[in-house]
Coordinates of all heavy atoms in Angstrom, one line a residue:
M143 N -38.9 23.3 -7.8 CA -37.9 22.2 -8.1 C -38.4 20.9 -7.5 O -39.1 20.9 -6.5 CB -36.6 22.6 -7.4 CG -35.9 23.8 -8.0 SD -34.2 23.7 -7.6 CE -33.5 24.9 -8.6
D144 N -38.0 19.9 -8.1 CA -38.4 18.5 -7.6 C -37.4 18.1 -6.5 O -36.3 18.5 -6.4 CB -38.3 17.5 -8.7 CG -39.3 17.7 -9.8 OD1 -40.4 18.3 -9.5 OD2 -39.1 17.3 -10.9
A145 N -38.0 17.3 -5.6 CA -37.2 16.8 -4.5 C -36.4 15.6 -5.0 O -36.8 14.9 -5.9 CB -38.1 16.4 -3.3
I146 N -35.3 15.4 -4.3 CA -34.4 14.2 -4.7 C -34.8 13.1 -3.8 O -35.0 13.2 -2.6 CB -32.9 14.6 -4.5 CG1 -32.5 15.7 -5.5 CG2 -32.0 13.4 -4.7 CD1 -31.1 16.2 -5.2
N147 N -34.9 11.9 -4.4 CA -35.2 10.7 -3.6 C -33.9 10.4 -2.8 O -32.8 10.1 -3.3 CB -35.5 9.5 -4.5 CG -35.9 8.3 -3.7 OD1 -35.1 7.8 -2.9 ND2 -37.0 7.7 -4.0
I148 N -34.0 10.5 -1.5 CA -32.8 10.4 -0.6 C -32.2 9.0 -0.7 O -31.0 8.9 -0.8 CB -33.2 10.7 0.9 CG1 -33.6 12.2 0.9 CG2 -32.1 10.4 1.8 CD1 -34.2 12.6 2.3
K149 N -33.0 7.9 -0.6 CA -32.4 6.6 -0.7 C -31.7 6.3 -2.0 O -30.6 5.7 -2.1 CB -33.5 5.6 -0.4 CG -34.0 5.5 1.0 CD -35.1 4.5 1.2 CE -35.6 4.6 2.6 NZ -36.7 3.6 2.8
R150 N -32.3 6.7 -3.1 CA -31.7 6.5 -4.4 C -30.5 7.3 -4.6 O -29.5 6.8 -5.2 CB -32.8 6.8 -5.5 CG -33.9 5.7 -5.5 CD -34.9 6.0 -6.6 NE -34.4 5.9 -7.9 CZ -35.0 6.2 -9.0 NH1 -36.2 6.7 -9.0 NH2 -34.4 6.0 -10.2
F151 N -30.5 8.5 -4.2 CA -29.3 9.4 -4.3 C -28.2 8.9 -3.5 O -27.0 8.8 -3.9 CB -29.7 10.8 -4.0 CG -28.7 11.8 -4.5 CD1 -28.7 12.2 -5.8 CD2 -27.8 12.5 -3.7 CE1 -27.8 13.1 -6.3 CE2 -26.9 13.4 -4.1 CZ -26.9 13.8 -5.5
G152 N -28.5 8.4 -2.3 CA -27.5 7.8 -1.4 C -26.9 6.6 -2.0 O -25.7 6.4 -2.0
F153 N -27.8 5.7 -2.6 CA -27.3 4.5 -3.2 C -26.4 4.9 -4.4 O -25.3 4.2 -4.6 CB -28.5 3.7 -3.7 CG -28.0 2.4 -4.4 CD1 -27.7 1.3 -3.6 CD2 -27.9 2.3 -5.7 CE1 -27.3 0.1 -4.2 CE2 -27.4 1.1 -6.3 CZ -27.1 0.0 -5.5
A154 N -26.7 5.9 -5.2 CA -25.9 6.3 -6.3 C -24.5 6.7 -5.8 O -23.5 6.4 -6.4 CB -26.6 7.4 -7.1
F155 N -24.5 7.5 -4.8 CA -23.2 7.9 -4.2 C -22.4 6.7 -3.7 O -21.2 6.6 -3.9 CB -23.4 8.9 -3.1 CG -23.1 10.4 -3.5 CD1 -24.0 11.0 -4.4 CD2 -22.1 11.1 -3.0 CE1 -23.8 12.3 -4.7 CE2 -21.8 12.4 -3.3 CZ -22.7 13.0 -4.2
G156 N -23.1 5.9 -2.9 CA -22.4 4.7 -2.4 C -21.8 3.8 -3.5 O -20.7 3.3 -3.4
A157 N -22.6 3.6 -4.5 CA -22.1 2.7 -5.6 C -21.0 3.4 -6.3 O -20.0 2.7 -6.7 CB -23.3 2.5 -6.6
T158 N -21.0 4.7 -6.5 CA -19.9 5.4 -7.1 C -18.6 5.3 -6.3 O -17.5 5.0 -6.8 CB -20.3 6.9 -7.3 OG1 -21.4 7.0 -8.2 CG2 -19.1 7.7 -8.0
F159 N -18.7 5.5 -5.0 CA -17.6 5.4 -4.1 C -17.0 3.9 -4.1 O -15.8 3.7 -4.2 CB -18.0 5.7 -2.7 CG -18.1 7.2 -2.4 CD1 -18.4 8.1 -3.4 CD2 -17.9 7.7 -1.1 CE1 -18.4 9.5 -3.1 CE2 -17.9 9.0 -0.8 CZ -18.2 9.9 -1.8
A160 N -17.9 2.9 -4.1 CA -17.5 1.5 -4.2 C -16.7 1.3 -5.5 O -15.7 0.6 -5.5 CB -18.6 0.6 -4.0
L161 N -17.2 1.8 -6.6 CA -16.5 1.6 -7.9 C -15.2 2.3 -7.9 O -14.2 1.8 -8.5 CB -17.4 2.2 -9.1 CG -18.6 1.3 -9.5 CD1 -19.4 2.1 -10.5 CD2 -18.1 0.0 -10.0
L162 N -15.1 3.5 -7.3 CA -13.8 4.1 -7.2 C -12.8 3.3 -6.3 O -11.6 3.1 -6.7 CB -13.9 5.5 -6.5 CG -14.5 6.6 -7.4 CD1 -14.8 7.8 -6.6 CD2 -13.6 6.9 -8.6
R163 N -13.3 2.7 -5.3 CA -12.5 1.8 -4.4 C -12.0 0.6 -5.2 O -10.9 0.2 -5.2 CB -13.3 1.4 -3.2 CG -12.6 0.5 -2.3 CD -11.6 1.2 -1.4 NE -11.1 0.2 -0.4 CZ -10.4 0.6 0.6 NH1 -10.0 1.8 0.8 NH2 -9.9 -0.3 1.4
L164 N -12.9 0.0 -6.0 CA -12.5 -1.1 -6.9 C -11.5 -0.7 -7.9 O -10.6 -1.5 -8.2 CB -13.8 -1.7 -7.6 CG -14.7 -2.6 -6.8 CD1 -16.0 -2.8 -7.6 CD2 -14.0 -3.8 -6.4
G165 N -11.6 0.5 -8.4 CA -10.6 1.1 -9.3 C -9.2 1.1 -8.7 O -8.2 0.8 -9.3
C166 N -9.2 1.5 -7.4 CA -7.9 1.6 -6.6 C -7.3 0.2 -6.5 O -6.1 0.0 -6.8 CB -8.1 2.1 -5.2 SG -8.4 3.9 -5.2
F167 N -8.2 -0.8 -6.2 CA -7.7 -2.2 -6.1 C -7.2 -2.7 -7.5 O -6.1 -3.3 -7.5 CB -8.8 -3.1 -5.6 CG -9.3 -2.9 -4.2 CD1 -10.6 -3.1 -3.9 CD2 -8.4 -2.6 -3.2 CE1 -11.0 -2.9 -2.6 CE2 -8.8 -2.4 -1.9 CZ -10.1 -2.5 -1.6
F168 N -7.9 -2.3 -8.5 CA -7.5 -2.7 -9.9 C -6.1 -2.1 -10.2 O -5.2 -2.8 -10.7 CB -8.5 -2.3 -10.9 CG -8.1 -2.7 -12.3 CD1 -8.2 -4.0 -12.7 CD2 -7.7 -1.7 -13.2 CE1 -7.9 -4.4 -14.0 CE2 -7.4 -2.1 -14.5 CZ -7.4 -3.4 -14.9
V169 N -5.9 -0.8 -10.0 CA -4.6 -0.2 -10.3 C -3.5 -0.9 -9.5 O -2.5 -1.2 -10.1 CB -4.7 1.3 -9.9 CG1 -3.3 1.9 -9.9 CG2 -5.6 2.1 -10.9
M170 N -3.7 -1.1 -8.2 CA -2.7 -1.7 -7.4 C -2.4 -3.1 -7.8 O -1.2 -3.5 -7.7 CB -3.1 -1.6 -5.9 CG -3.1 -0.1 -5.4 SD -3.6 0.0 -3.7 CE -2.2 -0.6 -2.9
A171 N -3.4 -3.8 -8.2 CA -3.2 -5.2 -8.6 C -2.5 -5.4 -9.9 O -1.8 -6.4 -10.2 CB -4.5 -6.0 -8.6
T172 N -2.6 -4.4 -10.8 CA -2.2 -4.6 -12.2 C -0.8 -3.9 -12.5 O -0.1 -4.4 -13.3 CB -3.2 -4.1 -13.2 OG1 -3.5 -2.8 -12.9 CG2 -4.4 -5.0 -13.1
V173 N -0.5 -2.8 -11.8 CA 0.7 -2.1 -12.2 C 1.9 -2.2 -11.2 O 3.0 -1.8 -11.6 CB 0.4 -0.6 -12.4 CG1 -0.6 -0.4 -13.5 CG2 0.0 0.1 -11.1
G174 N 1.7 -2.8 -10.1 CA 2.8 -2.9 -9.1 C 3.0 -1.7 -8.2 O 2.3 -0.7 -8.4
K175 N 3.9 -1.9 -7.2 CA 4.0 -0.9 -6.2 C 4.6 0.4 -6.6 O 4.0 1.4 -6.3 CB 4.9 -1.5 -5.1 CG 5.0 -0.6 -3.8 CD 5.7 -1.3 -2.7 CE 5.7 -0.3 -1.5 NZ 6.2 -1.0 -0.3
D176 N 5.7 0.4 -7.4 CA 6.3 1.7 -7.8 C 5.3 2.5 -8.6 O 5.2 3.7 -8.4 CB 7.6 1.4 -8.6 CG 8.7 0.8 -7.8 OD1 8.6 1.0 -6.5 OD2 9.5 0.1 -8.3
I177 N 4.7 2.0 -9.6 CA 3.7 2.7 -10.4 C 2.5 3.2 -9.6 O 2.0 4.3 -9.8 CB 3.4 2.0 -11.7 CG1 4.6 1.8 -12.6 CG2 2.3 2.7 -12.5 CD1 4.4 1.0 -13.8
S178 N 2.1 2.3 -8.7 CA 0.9 2.6 -7.8 C 1.3 3.9 -7.0 O 0.5 4.8 -6.8 CB 0.6 1.5 -6.9 OG 0.0 0.4 -7.6
I179 N 2.5 3.9 -6.4 CA 3.0 5.0 -5.6 C 3.0 6.3 -6.5 O 2.5 7.3 -6.0 CB 4.3 4.7 -5.0 CG1 4.2 3.7 -3.9 CG2 5.0 6.0 -4.4 CD1 5.5 3.1 -3.4
R180 N 3.5 6.2 -7.7 CA 3.6 7.4 -8.5 C 2.2 7.8 -8.9 O 1.9 9.0 -8.9 CB 4.3 7.0 -9.8 CG 5.7 7.7 -9.9 CD 6.4 7.6 -11.2 NE 6.7 6.2 -11.4 CZ 6.9 5.6 -12.6 NH1 6.8 6.4 -13.7 NH2 7.2 4.4 -12.7
F181 N 1.3 6.9 -9.2 CA -0.1 7.2 -9.5 C -0.8 7.9 -8.4 O -1.4 9.0 -8.6 CB -0.9 6.0 -9.9 CG -2.3 6.2 -10.2 CD1 -2.8 6.8 -11.4 CD2 -3.3 5.8 -9.2 CE1 -4.1 7.0 -11.6 CE2 -4.6 6.0 -9.5 CZ -5.1 6.6 -10.6
F182 N -0.7 7.4 -7.2 CA -1.5 8.0 -6.0 C -0.8 9.2 -5.6 O -1.5 10.2 -5.1 CB -1.6 6.9 -4.9 CG -2.6 5.9 -5.3 CD1 -2.2 4.6 -5.4 CD2 -4.0 6.2 -5.4 CE1 -3.1 3.6 -5.8 CE2 -4.9 5.2 -5.8 CZ -4.4 3.9 -6.0
N183 N 0.5 9.4 -5.7 CA 1.2 10.6 -5.4 C 0.7 11.7 -6.3 O 0.5 12.9 -5.8 CB 2.7 10.5 -5.5 CG 3.3 9.8 -4.3 OD1 2.7 9.5 -3.3 ND2 4.6 9.4 -4.4
S184 N 0.6 11.5 -7.6 CA 0.1 12.5 -8.5 C -1.4 12.8 -8.3 O -1.8 13.9 -8.4 CB 0.4 12.1 -9.9 OG -0.4 11.0 -10.3
L185 N -2.1 11.8 -7.9 CA -3.6 12.0 -7.7 C -3.8 12.8 -6.4 O -4.8 13.6 -6.4 CB -4.2 10.6 -7.6 CG -5.7 10.6 -7.5 CD1 -6.4 11.0 -8.8 CD2 -6.2 9.1 -7.2
L186 N -2.9 12.6 -5.4 CA -3.1 13.3 -4.2 C -2.3 14.6 -4.1 O -1.8 15.0 -3.0 CB -2.8 12.4 -3.0 CG -3.7 11.1 -2.9 CD1 -3.1 10.1 -1.9 CD2 -5.1 11.5 -2.6
H187 N -2.0 15.2 -5.2 CA -1.3 16.5 -5.3 C 0.1 16.5 -4.6 O 0.4 17.4 -3.9 CB -2.1 17.6 -4.7 CG -3.5 17.7 -5.4 ND1 -3.6 18.2 -6.6 CD2 -4.7 17.3 -5.0 CE1 -4.9 18.2 -7.0 NE2 -5.6 17.6 -6.0
G188 N 0.8 15.4 -4.8 CA 2.2 15.3 -4.3 C 2.3 14.8 -2.9 O 3.4 14.7 -2.4
L189 N 1.2 14.4 -2.3 CA 1.3 13.7 -1.0 C 2.0 12.4 -1.2 O 1.6 11.6 -2.0 CB -0.1 13.5 -0.4 CG -0.2 12.8 1.0 CD1 0.4 13.7 2.1 CD2 -1.6 12.4 1.3
D190 N 3.1 12.2 -0.4 CA 3.9 11.0 -0.6 C 3.3 9.8 0.2 O 3.2 9.8 1.4 CB 5.3 11.2 -0.1 CG 6.3 10.1 -0.5 OD1 5.8 9.2 -1.2 OD2 7.4 10.1 0.0
V191 N 2.8 8.8 -0.6 CA 2.1 7.6 0.0 C 3.1 6.5 0.2 O 2.7 5.4 0.6 CB 0.9 7.2 -0.8 CG1 -0.1 8.3 -0.8 CG2 1.3 6.8 -2.2
T192 N 4.4 6.7 -0.1 CA 5.4 5.6 -0.1 C 5.4 4.8 1.3 O 5.4 3.6 1.3 CB 6.8 6.1 -0.4 OG1 6.8 6.8 -1.6 CG2 7.8 5.0 -0.4
S193 N 5.3 5.5 2.4 CA 5.4 4.9 3.7 C 4.1 4.3 4.1 O 4.1 3.5 5.1 CB 5.9 5.9 4.7 OG 5.0 7.0 4.8
I194 N 3.0 4.6 3.5 CA 1.7 4.1 4.0 C 1.0 3.1 3.0 O 0.1 2.4 3.4 CB 0.7 5.2 4.3 CG1 0.4 6.1 3.1 CG2 1.2 6.0 5.5 CD1 -0.7 7.1 3.3
I195 N 1.5 3.0 1.8 CA 0.9 2.1 0.8 C 1.2 0.7 1.2 O 2.3 0.3 1.6 CB 1.3 2.4 -0.6 CG1 0.4 1.8 -1.6 CG2 2.7 1.9 -0.9 CD1 0.4 2.4 -3.0
R196 N 0.2 -0.2 1.1 CA 0.3 -1.6 1.4 C -0.2 -2.4 0.3 O -1.4 -2.2 -0.1 CB -0.5 -1.9 2.7 CG 0.0 -2.9 3.6 CD -0.8 -3.0 4.8 NE -2.1 -3.5 4.3 CZ -3.0 -4.0 5.1 NH1 -2.8 -4.0 6.4 NH2 -4.2 -4.4 4.6
M197 N 0.6 -3.2 -0.3 CA 0.2 -4.0 -1.5 C -0.4 -5.4 -1.1 O -1.0 -6.0 -2.0 CB 1.4 -4.2 -2.4 CG 2.0 -2.9 -2.9 SD 0.9 -1.9 -3.9 CE 0.9 -2.9 -5.4
N198 N -0.2 -5.8 0.1 CA -0.7 -7.2 0.4 C -2.0 -7.1 1.3 O -1.9 -7.2 2.5 CB 0.4 -8.0 1.1 CG 0.9 -7.3 2.3 OD1 0.7 -6.1 2.5 ND2 1.7 -8.0 3.2
M199 N -3.1 -7.0 0.6 CA -4.4 -7.0 1.3 C -5.1 -8.3 1.0 O -5.1 -8.7 -0.1 CB -5.2 -5.8 0.9 CG -4.7 -4.4 1.3 SD -5.8 -3.1 0.8 CE -7.2 -3.4 1.8
S200 N -5.8 -8.8 2.1 CA -6.5 -10.0 1.8 C -7.9 -9.6 1.2 O -8.3 -8.5 1.2 CB -6.8 -10.7 3.2 OG -7.7 -9.9 4.0
I201 N -8.5 -10.6 0.6 CA -9.8 -10.5 0.0 C -10.8 -9.9 1.0 O -11.7 -9.1 0.7 CB -10.3 -11.8 -0.6 CG1 -9.4 -12.3 -1.7 CG2 -11.7 -11.6 -1.1 CD1 -9.3 -11.4 -2.9
G202 N -10.7 -10.4 2.3 CA -11.6 -10.0 3.3 C -11.5 -8.5 3.6 O -12.5 -7.8 3.8
E203 N -10.2 -8.0 3.7 CA -10.0 -6.6 3.9 C -10.5 -5.8 2.8 O -11.1 -4.7 3.0 CB -8.5 -6.3 4.1 CG -7.9 -6.8 5.4 CD -6.4 -6.5 5.4 OE1 -5.7 -7.1 4.6 OE2 -6.0 -5.7 6.3
M204 N -10.4 -6.3 1.6 CA -10.9 -5.5 0.4 C -12.4 -5.5 0.5 O -13.0 -4.4 0.2 CB -10.4 -6.2 -0.9 CG -9.0 -6.0 -1.2 SD -8.6 -6.8 -2.8 CE -7.0 -7.3 -2.5
A205 N -13.0 -6.6 0.8 CA -14.5 -6.6 0.9 C -15.0 -5.6 2.0 O -16.0 -4.9 1.7 CB -15.0 -8.0 1.1
I206 N -14.4 -5.7 3.1 CA -14.8 -4.8 4.2 C -14.6 -3.3 3.8 O -15.4 -2.5 4.1 CB -14.0 -5.1 5.5 CG1 -14.5 -6.4 6.1 CG2 -14.1 -4.0 6.5 CD1 -13.7 -7.0 7.2
G207 N -13.5 -3.0 3.1 CA -13.2 -1.7 2.6 C -14.3 -1.2 1.7 O -14.7 -0.1 1.7
I208 N -14.7 -2.1 0.7 CA -15.7 -1.7 -0.2 C -17.0 -1.4 0.5 O -17.7 -0.5 0.2 CB -15.9 -2.8 -1.3 CG1 -14.7 -2.8 -2.2 CG2 -17.2 -2.6 -2.1 CD1 -14.6 -4.0 -3.2
I209 N -17.4 -2.3 1.5 CA -18.6 -2.1 2.3 C -18.5 -0.8 3.0 O -19.5 0.0 3.0 CB -18.9 -3.3 3.2 CG1 -19.2 -4.5 2.4 CG2 -20.0 -3.0 4.2 CD1 -19.1 -5.8 3.2
E210 N -17.4 -0.5 3.7 CA -17.3 0.8 4.4 C -17.4 2.0 3.5 O -18.1 3.0 3.9 CB -15.9 0.8 5.2 CG -15.8 -0.2 6.3 CD -14.4 -0.3 6.8 OE1 -13.4 0.1 6.2 OE2 -14.3 -0.9 8.0
V211 N -16.7 1.9 2.4 CA -16.8 3.1 1.5 C -18.2 3.2 0.9 O -18.7 4.4 0.8 CB -15.7 2.9 0.3 CG1 -16.0 3.8 -0.8 CG2 -14.3 3.1 0.9
F212 N -18.9 2.1 0.7 CA -20.3 2.2 0.2 C -21.1 2.9 1.2 O -21.9 3.8 0.9 CB -20.8 0.8 -0.1 CG -22.3 0.9 -0.5 CD1 -22.6 1.2 -1.8 CD2 -23.3 0.7 0.4 CE1 -24.0 1.3 -2.2 CE2 -24.6 0.7 0.0 CZ -25.0 1.1 -1.3
I213 N -21.0 2.5 2.5 CA -21.8 3.1 3.6 C -21.5 4.6 3.7 O -22.4 5.4 3.8 CB -21.6 2.4 4.9 CG1 -22.2 1.0 4.8 CG2 -22.1 3.1 6.1 CD1 -21.8 0.0 6.0
L214 N -20.2 5.0 3.7 CA -19.9 6.4 3.8 C -20.4 7.2 2.6 O -20.9 8.3 2.7 CB -18.3 6.6 3.9 CG -17.7 6.1 5.2 CD1 -16.2 6.2 5.1 CD2 -18.2 7.0 6.3
G215 N -20.3 6.6 1.4 CA -20.9 7.2 0.2 C -22.4 7.4 0.3 O -23.0 8.4 -0.1
W216 N -23.1 6.3 0.8 CA -24.5 6.4 1.0 C -24.9 7.5 1.9 O -25.8 8.3 1.7 CB -25.1 5.0 1.5 CG -26.6 5.0 1.3 CD1 -27.3 4.4 0.3 CD2 -27.5 5.5 2.3 NE1 -28.6 4.6 0.6 CE2 -28.8 5.3 1.7 CE3 -27.5 6.2 3.5 CZ2 -30.0 5.7 2.4 CZ3 -28.6 6.6 4.1 CH2 -29.9 6.3 3.6
L217 N -24.2 7.6 3.0 CA -24.5 8.6 4.0 C -24.2 10.0 3.4 O -25.0 10.9 3.7 CB -23.7 8.4 5.3 CG -24.1 7.2 6.1 CD1 -23.0 6.9 7.2 CD2 -25.4 7.3 6.7
T218 N -23.2 10.1 2.7 CA -22.8 11.4 2.0 C -23.9 11.8 1.1 O -24.4 12.9 1.1 CB -21.5 11.3 1.3 OG1 -20.5 11.0 2.2 CG2 -21.2 12.6 0.6
G219 N -24.3 10.9 0.2 CA -25.4 11.2 -0.8 C -26.7 11.5 -0.1 O -27.4 12.4 -0.5
A220 N -27.1 10.7 0.9 CA -28.3 10.9 1.6 C -28.3 12.3 2.3 O -29.3 13.0 2.3 CB -28.6 9.8 2.6
T221 N -27.2 12.7 2.8 CA -27.0 14.0 3.5 C -27.2 15.1 2.5 O -27.9 16.1 2.7 CB -25.7 14.1 4.2 OG1 -25.6 13.1 5.2 CG2 -25.5 15.5 4.9
I222 N -26.5 15.0 1.3 CA -26.7 16.0 0.3 C -28.1 16.1 -0.2 O -28.6 17.2 -0.3 CB -25.7 15.7 -0.9 CG1 -24.3 15.9 -0.5 CG2 -26.0 16.5 -2.1 CD1 -23.3 15.3 -1.5
A223 N -28.8 15.0 -0.5 CA -30.2 15.0 -0.9 C -31.1 15.6 0.1 O -32.0 16.4 -0.2 CB -30.6 13.6 -1.2
S224 N -30.8 15.3 1.4 CA -31.6 15.9 2.5 C -31.5 17.4 2.6 O -32.5 18.1 2.7 CB -31.2 15.3 3.8 OG -31.5 13.9 3.9
I225 N -30.3 17.9 2.5 CA -30.0 19.3 2.5 C -30.7 20.0 1.3 O -31.3 21.0 1.4 CB -28.5 19.6 2.6 CG1 -28.0 19.1 4.0 CG2 -28.2 21.1 2.4 CD1 -26.5 19.1 4.1
Y226 N -30.5 19.4 0.2 CA -31.1 19.9 -1.1 C -32.6 20.0 -0.9 O -33.2 21.0 -1.2 CB -30.7 19.0 -2.3 CG -31.4 19.5 -3.5 CD1 -30.8 20.5 -4.3 CD2 -32.6 18.9 -4.0 CE1 -31.4 20.9 -5.5 CE2 -33.2 19.3 -5.1 CZ -32.6 20.3 -5.9 OH -33.2 20.7 -7.1
N227 N -33.2 18.9 -0.4 CA -34.7 18.9 -0.3 C -35.1 20.0 0.7 O -36.2 20.6 0.5 CB -35.2 17.5 0.1 CG -35.0 16.5 -1.0 OD1 -34.9 16.9 -2.1 ND2 -35.1 15.2 -0.6
C228 N -34.4 20.1 1.8 CA -34.7 21.2 2.8 C -34.7 22.6 2.3 O -35.5 23.4 2.5 CB -33.9 21.0 4.0 SG -34.2 19.6 5.1
T229 N -33.6 22.8 1.4 CA -33.5 24.1 0.9 C -34.5 24.4 -0.2 O -34.9 25.6 -0.4 CB -32.1 24.4 0.3 OG1 -31.8 23.4 -0.7 CG2 -31.0 24.3 1.4
C230 N -35.0 23.4 -0.8 CA -36.1 23.6 -1.8 C -37.4 24.0 -1.1 O -38.1 24.8 -1.6 CB -36.3 22.3 -2.6 SG -35.1 22.0 -3.9
R231 N -37.6 23.4 0.0 CA -38.9 23.7 0.8 C -38.8 25.2 1.3 O -39.8 25.8 1.4 CB -39.0 22.7 1.9 CG -39.4 21.4 1.5 CD -39.8 20.5 2.7 NE -39.6 19.1 2.2 CZ -38.9 18.2 2.8 NH1 -38.1 18.5 3.8 NH2 -38.8 17.0 2.3
V232 N -37.6 25.6 1.7 CA -37.5 26.9 2.2 C -37.8 28.0 1.2 O -38.4 29.0 1.4 CB -36.1 27.1 2.8 CG1 -35.8 28.6 3.2 CG2 -35.9 26.2 4.0
K233 N -37.3 27.8 -0.1 CA -37.5 28.7 -1.1 C -38.9 28.8 -1.6 O -39.4 29.8 -2.1 CB -36.6 28.4 -2.3 CG -35.1 28.7 -2.0 CD -34.3 28.4 -3.2 CE -32.8 28.7 -2.9 NZ -31.9 28.4 -4.1
N234 N -39.6 27.6 -1.6 CA -41.0 27.6 -2.1 C -41.9 28.1 -1.1 O -42.6 28.4 -0.5 CB -41.4 26.2 -2.5 CG -40.6 25.8 -3.8 OD1 -40.2 26.6 -4.6 ND2 -40.3 24.5 -3.9

């Protein structure tokens, strides 16, 4: 089996997480609070987000959130690729 490029796989995960975060911002910005609450409640298997949802976020908070999610996604992807690569070496 071929090894996975850790940096590229991490970047792919980070970019995917950042796009998902942008999707959350888009939903919240376009449909309003009530529909956002219904959407996220159904997405989270009935977890009620009514008391924790916040509709008034600054651009700075959004940017920091995207950066944080990208970093967590990159670390997740890099970890998965590293573990995959290690298990490939063990089998060969």
Side-chain angles (χ1 to χ4, degrees):
M143 294 203 166
D144 293 335
I146 296 175
N147 183 304
I148 293 171
K149 290 180 183 177
R150 290 177 68 187
F151 199 75
F153 182 83
F155 258 69
T158 301
F159 281 27
L161 285 173
L162 288 171
R163 179 79 174 188
L164 284 170
C166 286
F167 293 144
F168 179 76
V169 166
M170 292 177 73
T172 57
V173 299
K175 186 173 183 171
D176 292 334
I177 295 175
S178 291
I179 289 170
R180 253 189 291 156
F181 175 76
F182 289 112
N183 282 351
S184 66
L185 187 65
L186 298 171
H187 305 286
L189 179 69
D190 188 9
V191 298
T192 305
S193 62
I194 60 171
I195 199 162
R196 215 178 63 168
M197 298 299 287
N198 56 346
M199 290 183 68
S200 69
I201 298 293
E203 284 179 299
M204 288 184 213
I206 289 172
I208 290 171
I209 292 167
E210 290 170 342
V211 165
F212 176 83
I213 291 169
L214 288 172
W216 192 96
L217 291 170
T218 301
T221 302
I222 290 169
S224 297
I225 292 169
Y226 176 85
N227 290 344
C228 286
T229 59
C230 284
R231 288 186 202 123
V232 171
K233 288 182 180 181
N234 291 331

